[in-house]
Amino acid sequence: MNRDTLTTAIAEAERFLARAKAVPAPIERAPAEWAKSGKAWMDDSIRPKDSGAVRRASMDLTRALADLRKPS
């Protein structure tokens, strides 16, 4: 382990956390015909663009952590 790989791992961890926290919260949805009855559901899906950004950051973090564990 050296300072460069540690600094890279920290940066990737912070980038991953920023991407994960930027995912929008669930949205309550109700079709027009259900509006009178008060029925609704939570749309907890994550848009592909956001999902891809989180997955990419996760892969980069995994790679940085693997480099961190390699003997110097």
Side-chain angles (χ1 to χ4, degrees), residues 24-64:
I27 300 170
E28 185 173 330
R29 302 218 185 254
E33 63 271 10
W34 289 10
K36 297 175 200 161
S37 64
K39 294 180 183 177
W41 72 91
M42 295 303 290
D43 182 0
D44 197 20
S45 60
I46 298 174
R47 296 181 304 184
K49 183 178 176 182
D50 294 326
S51 175
V54 172
R55 287 179 187 190
R56 180 74 233 181
S58 170
M59 287 187 286
D60 292 342
L61 174 57
T62 298
R63 189 168 291 119

Side-chain angles (χ1 to χ4, degrees), residues 2-16 60-69:
N2 63 38
R3 290 199 186 276
D4 290 338
T5 56
L6 181 60
T7 302
T8 301
I10 291 169
E12 292 299 338
E14 289 171 346
R15 189 171 74 95
F16 169 75
D60 292 342
L61 174 57
T62 298
R63 189 168 291 119
L65 291 173
D67 291 342
L68 187 66
R69 290 187 293 267

